[in-house]
Amino acid sequence: MAELRHSASFGPRATSSPMKRDADSSPLIPSATADHHHHHLPDDDEERDRHSLKDRYRPLQYLSSFFGDDPRVPNPLHSPRISFFCTLLLILVGLLSLFSIVNKLNAPYLCKKDGITLHCPHVKESPSLWENPLSSTTSWKPCAERRDGVIEELPPENETNGYIFIHAEGGLNQQRIAICNAVAVAKIMNATLILPVLKQDQIWKDQTKFEDIFDVDHFIDYLKYDVRIVRDIPEWFTDKTELFSSIRRTVKNIPKYAPAQFYIDNVLPRVKEKRIMALKPFVDRLGYDNVPPEINKLRCRVNYHALKFLPDIEQMADLLASRMRNRTGSSNPYMALHLRFEKGMVGLSFCDFVGTREEKAKMAEYRQKEWPRRYKNGSHLWQLALQKRKEGRCPLEPGEVAVILRAMGYPKETQIYVASGQVYGGQNRMAPLRNMFPNLVTKEELATKEELDGFRKHVTSLAALDFLVCLKSDVFVMTHGGNFAKLIIGARRYMGHRLKSIKPDKGLMSKSFGDPYMGWATFVEDVVVTHQTRTGLPEETFPNYDLWENPLTPCMCKA
């Protein structure tokens, strides 16, 4: 058998001449000389063994003839037709290899660049480009509104457990959340709520009062069966300044995301004792999954039904939304983009962004001045920036937003309303987005100076306009976290999930932008597939969920 393997390995060269091969019929059959060195078989057995070996090695004989010169077996390579197909196959393999190389070079961040303009390949529009599929959005309906047939009896005013007072701190949307939480806490303790004061914001230097932005009458009336709300501190409490400054009148030890029981055990006794107490600070001082479901439903009732902006703000927002829908001369959908790339946001993120050495040096000085404890000596910041970008915790740059939107299929003609402060880097930073989507406007470009002058005295009024125009859009796109975006997404979900609200997967996008071998087609596929479930569709709530972004379980019912 060792001789057979040796012969098979060398094919027809195992025999000495063509005549010998003809006589033996197979190069793999042992020769007569070799037989003398083996056990001599009887004639019948020898013949049977000879035929068995022929059958066994017939395929190898053919292969040996394929690569050799055996005239008895036709060589397929000599056939013109086979040669043609082999040549065609080689050409096809070469073309595929060339296409693969070009595809790798065509990375998403290397969309054809012309100066500060990006040109990305066209992507076919999907049927659900402007709204979520109907089949995915009809299973839930809002159910946190006040039911007129059900009236909950409130105790008489002289039987209240006391009065609570809060400062709603921060920007407009943080103030909104604080107001919703204040109503809920008043309900938990069966206390009377004094109309919250909107504390002056340290950044915007705004002194807006509650009545300057919200409809107070509607607020009090809509919640009259849930919580007693009064406009001002009771007259019998004469030293009103004490409520703002005295430690004896302030509950300061409320932990973040406190459960309802904490208020009953620790705050209520002090409210009963002092009759009036201020809760300070009050940012995020009530949890979500550690309070009764009816309390969470009440928070939704406040947010989506009781808190209404003043009529003139609502009317101006309607006018801006109408102009967005008619910019082409006929009815068109529009996208609202919340672009969080102001200097303060870029600095606070401690992420690294493209820019000149001078820009990076100035940003380092700014961070060191504003956040000295986090900045330290700056040596650890590069590693921190890489880690945050990898985890998707960095704001998206305008150019990155442009590429993502194009990959999703939005065409150059898309009408985009931008809600943003002053973008860090100015027009140069905005150029890639504006050049790829030229129909991009802000409220200042959409309305006349005279139309907006009435709202400029209160910064929160301008923020309210942005809020409402984004809320009414066909598609809302956020670029970074924050109360504005999550309140918009939550409200649009509460309105029925049909409105598309895109929350980019910044971690995946960062990985894709950093991959020099990812082609445009692969990038588009990743973007589309990943964001199919990130468009404001119904999502079940989970422990420690954010009620403001996902009001599904406590505030919505099965349709």
Side-chain angles (χ1 to χ4, degrees):
M1 185 58 71
E3 184 180 349
L4 289 175
R5 288 174 181 162
H6 180 75
S7 300
S9 66
F10 286 89
R13 294 178 185 175
T15 57
S16 59
S17 68
M19 289 184 65
K20 179 89 176 201
R21 289 199 300 270
D22 288 343
D24 291 340
S25 294
S26 171
L28 302 176
I29 302 297
S31 65
T33 306
D35 286 342
H36 287 296
H37 298 288
H38 289 77
H39 224 39
H40 185 72
L41 296 173
D43 291 344
D44 293 342
D45 292 340
E46 185 176 356
E47 186 67 23
R48 185 166 51 252
D49 188 50
R50 189 182 298 272
H51 284 290
S52 174
L53 287 170
K54 284 183 179 182
D55 294 338
R56 182 176 180 182
Y57 291 101
R58 193 177 303 277
L60 291 176
Q61 172 188 344
Y62 182 81
L63 286 174
S64 300
S65 302
F66 185 93
F67 293 104
D69 303 319
D70 194 338
R72 295 172 299 129
V73 181
N75 191 334
L77 291 177
H78 295 163
S79 170
R81 182 174 298 177
I82 297 296
S83 299
F84 172 76
F85 281 115
C86 288
T87 305
L88 192 62
L89 182 62
L90 289 172
I91 293 173
L92 183 60
V93 170
L95 288 174
L96 288 174
S97 301
L98 182 62
F99 175 78
S100 177
I101 294 171
V102 172
N103 197 36
K104 286 183 177 181
L105 290 175
N106 187 22
Y109 57 87
L110 290 178
C111 294
K112 186 179 177 183
K113 194 171 182 181
D114 180 14
I116 56 175
T117 303
L118 288 174
H119 299 283
C120 292
H122 177 74
V123 177
K124 184 179 179 182
E125 294 185 25
S126 68
S128 58
L129 192 65
W130 289 101
E131 60 185 1
N132 284 320
L134 181 62
S135 58
S136 304
T137 61
T138 55
S139 55
W140 294 88
K141 65 178 181 179
C143 60
E145 68 275 9
R146 183 181 69 186
R147 289 175 292 175
D148 293 332
V150 179
I151 300 177
E152 188 173 338
E153 291 292 334
L154 289 175
E157 187 174 357
N158 58 0
E159 294 182 16
T160 182
N161 284 330
Y163 293 81
I164 62 171
F165 173 81
I166 70 140
H167 276 115
E169 302 176 38
L172 173 64
N173 301 291
Q174 188 169 298
Q175 291 171 346
R176 188 184 190 97
I177 292 173
I179 293 166
C180 296
N181 288 341
V183 173
V185 167
K187 180 70 174 178
I188 290 170
M189 298 190 297
N190 192 22
T192 299
L193 176 66
I194 300 170
L195 194 70
V197 169
L198 307 186
K199 187 177 180 181
Q200 177 178 342
D201 187 88
Q202 296 301 315
I203 297 176
W204 298 107
K205 307 297 182 184
D206 189 42
Q207 298 183 3
T208 306
K209 298 178 181 177
F210 192 106
E211 56 268 25
D212 293 330
I213 192 84
F214 296 114
D215 187 332
V216 177
D217 292 334
H218 176 80
F219 177 71
I220 295 175
D221 182 69
Y222 198 89
L223 298 171
K224 63 184 178 183
Y225 301 129
D226 296 296
V227 175
R228 178 174 285 107
I229 303 172
V230 296
R231 288 177 177 265
D232 204 353
I233 299 170
E235 293 182 359
W236 53 263
F237 187 76
T238 54
D239 191 3
K240 295 186 179 182
T241 57
E242 182 184 359
L243 192 58
F244 291 89
S245 57
S246 174
I247 297 178
R248 293 179 303 165
R249 291 282 179 184
T250 305
V251 182
K252 283 183 170 290
N253 63 339
I254 304 173
K256 274 199 168 188
Y257 306 110
Q261 196 62 42
F262 179 89
Y263 286 91
I264 295 172
D265 296 339
N266 299 280
V267 181
L268 181 57
R270 297 189 63 184
V271 173
K272 286 182 174 181
E273 177 191 356
K274 299 290 186 179
R275 300 285 304 279
I276 296 181
M277 291 294 291
L279 310 184
K280 182 182 178 182
F282 198 67
V283 177
D284 296 328
R285 288 314 195 264
L286 184 63
Y288 300 116
D289 56 346
N290 51 8
V291 301
E294 59 270 20
I295 295 299
N296 279 334
K297 183 175 283 190
L298 175 60
R299 292 156 99 177
C300 289
R301 186 172 302 140
V302 179
N303 187 27
Y304 302 130
H305 300 283
L307 275 178
K308 280 187 170 294
F309 293 114
L310 290 174
D312 59 335
I313 296 177
E314 296 271 359
Q315 291 167 9
M316 188 63 201
D318 286 340
L319 179 62
L320 293 176
S322 175
R323 288 175 182 174
M324 283 301 302
R325 293 193 189 283
N326 293 277
R327 297 195 72 223
T328 61
S330 59
S331 181
N332 59 265
Y334 78 91
M335 173 191 293
L337 175 65
H338 184 219
L339 189 60
R340 298 205 71 188
F341 208 75
E342 306 89 349
K343 182 178 179 179
M345 178 54 59
V346 171
L348 182 60
S349 72
F350 277 84
C351 294
D352 185 63
F353 297 97
V354 176
T356 64
R357 288 185 179 181
E358 184 181 0
E359 282 180 320
K360 291 179 182 291
K362 287 183 178 179
M363 177 53 67
E365 291 176 5
Y366 174 68
R367 285 170 172 166
Q368 189 173 21
K369 177 184 176 182
E370 296 294 328
W371 302 280
R373 288 186 179 182
R374 289 185 62 187
Y375 188 86
K376 298 179 183 178
N377 62 4
S379 60
H380 68 296
L381 295 181
W382 174 246
Q383 190 62 37
L384 174 65
L386 289 177
Q387 184 65 25
K388 293 189 75 171
R389 186 165 291 278
K390 182 179 178 181
E391 295 171 356
R393 294 191 290 140
C394 294
L396 289 172
E397 296 188 48
E400 293 174 328
V401 176
V403 175
I404 292 171
L405 293 179
R406 179 54 51 83
M408 288 180 177
Y410 290 98
K412 181 178 181 179
E413 297 74 28
T414 301
Q415 304 293 327
I416 302 179
Y417 178 89
V418 178
S420 173
Q422 185 174 355
V423 173
Y424 173 67
Q427 293 302 317
N428 285 341
R429 184 74 67 168
M430 281 292 292
L433 175 61
R434 190 175 287 277
N435 289 330
M436 193 176 292
F437 296 98
N439 297 316
L440 184 147
V441 294
T442 62
K443 59 181 174 293
E444 288 78 12
E445 295 169 303
L446 205 59
T448 65
K449 180 181 179 299
E450 291 72 26
E451 288 175 322
L452 292 180
D453 278 347
F455 302 96
R456 295 187 191 278
K457 58 184 177 181
H458 300 300
V459 174
T460 47
S461 296
L462 295 174
L465 291 177
D466 278 340
F467 185 92
L468 289 172
V469 178
C470 288
L471 187 64
K472 298 170 188 292
S473 66
D474 297 274
V475 173
F476 172 72
V477 180
M478 63 173 285
T479 60
H480 198 49
N483 292 321
F484 182 99
K486 68 183 180 183
L487 282 169
I488 291 286
I489 292 175
R492 290 163 70 88
R493 276 179 163 149
Y494 186 75
M495 292 159 65
H497 296 105
R498 194 75 196 275
L499 297 172
K500 202 167 185 176
S501 304
I502 300 173
K503 185 178 181 179
D505 186 336
K506 294 186 292 179
L508 177 67
M509 293 299 97
S510 174
K511 181 179 178 182
S512 299
F513 286 135
D515 184 354
Y517 299 109
M518 178 174 283
W520 176 254
T522 305
F523 177 72
V524 168
E525 183 180 6
D526 282 357
V527 169
V528 172
V529 172
T530 301
H531 293 91
Q532 282 177 347
T533 57
R534 301 177 69 89
T535 59
L537 292 169
E539 285 183 23
E540 292 290 343
T541 51
F542 50 86
N544 300 315
Y545 69 92
D546 194 319
L547 175 72
W548 313 113
E549 186 174 333
N550 185 17
L552 185 68
T553 304
C555 307
M556 302 187 74
C557 309
K558 283 284 188 180

